[in-house]
């Protein structure tokens, strides 16, 4: 898949269709988050994406909200399993999760249960913010249908 020239650590607008979540989500929490995003009309927190394989590492509920809202783009901070100091543990047990297993599950189209994977990410990644009005993230084909 490659990184297509994107830089690590910066907030980029990534096509939603490129992304693969590594774990499930809580539908009630996702609906509440989606309602908040709609009410504010602004996307202010990027998800975290593994840039070589386009895996959603953090922000499953935001990713699912983007899908359900029909957005074409989603703000994301890009990191690399191969180049960044990233470790993963199971939230329930505290045991290390091996990145090779996460990648294998992703290739098989399998997801971990919601709230399983906790990534230790490079400094500043989770603190990243953005400010994108929702209309700037809309799917281009949806915008064509709406425009006069």
């Amino acid at each position: 898949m490659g990184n297509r020239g994107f830089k690590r650590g910066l907030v980029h607008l990534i096509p939603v269709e490129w992304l693969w979540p590594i774990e499930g989500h809580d539908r009630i929490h996702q609906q509440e988050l989606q309602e908040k995003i709609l009410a504010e009309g602004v996307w202010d927190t990027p998800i975290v994406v593994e840039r070589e394989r386009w895996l959603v590492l953090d922000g499953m509920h935001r990713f699912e909200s983007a899908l359900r809202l029909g957005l074409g783009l989603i703000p994301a901070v890009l990191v690399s399993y191969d180049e960044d100091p990233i470790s993963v543990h199971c939230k329930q047990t505290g045991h290390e999760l091996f990145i090779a297993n996460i990648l294998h599950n992703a290739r098989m189209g399998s997801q971990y249960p919601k709230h399983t994977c906790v990534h230790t990410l490079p400094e500043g990644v989770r603190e990243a913010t953005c400010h994108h009005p929702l209309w700037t993230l809309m799917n281009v084909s949806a915008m064509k249908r709406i425009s006069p």
Side-chain angles (χ1 to χ4, degrees), residues 121-136:
L121 297 167
E123 187 176 332
V125 169
R126 283 204 172 89
E127 291 77 26
T129 61
C130 58
H131 186 86
H132 292 281
L134 289 182
W135 68 267
T136 66

Side-chain angles (χ1 to χ4, degrees), residues 103-119:
L103 297 176
H104 174 77
N105 280 359
R107 279 192 299 275
M108 301 305 291
S110 178
Q111 294 180 354
Y112 285 92
K114 64 184 176 188
H115 304 297
T116 299
C117 303
V118 178
H119 285 79

Side-chain angles (χ1 to χ4, degrees), residues 4 34 36 41 76-77 85 94 96 107-108 134 140-141 145:
R4 299 188 182 143
Q34 182 175 321
K36 177 186 176 287
V77 175
E96 179 180 6
R107 279 192 299 275
M108 301 305 291
L134 289 182
V140 175
S141 61
R145 287 193 302 266

Side-chain angles (χ1 to χ4, degrees), residues 26-96:
D26 179 295
R27 181 74 175 120
I28 293 171
H29 177 68
Q30 180 274 316
Q31 286 177 320
E32 291 169 351
L33 180 60
Q34 182 175 321
E35 289 170 12
K36 177 186 176 287
I37 292 168
L38 276 174
E40 293 174 356
V42 172
W43 197 284
D44 60 9
T45 306
I47 64 173
V48 179
V49 171
E50 202 285 331
R51 70 186 178 112
E52 280 87 21
R53 299 158 189 96
W54 302 110
L55 302 175
V56 179
L57 305 185
D58 189 53
M60 303 306 157
H61 296 96
R62 286 172 274 148
F63 171 71
E64 187 65 27
S65 293
L67 285 175
R68 292 182 183 272
L69 289 169
L71 300 181
L73 299 170
I74 188 168
V77 175
L78 305 178
V79 297
S80 171
Y81 275 149
D82 299 329
E83 299 174 18
D84 292 318
I86 296 173
S87 62
V88 191
H89 69 272
C90 176
K91 185 174 184 174
Q92 290 77 14
T93 66
H95 293 122
E96 179 180 6

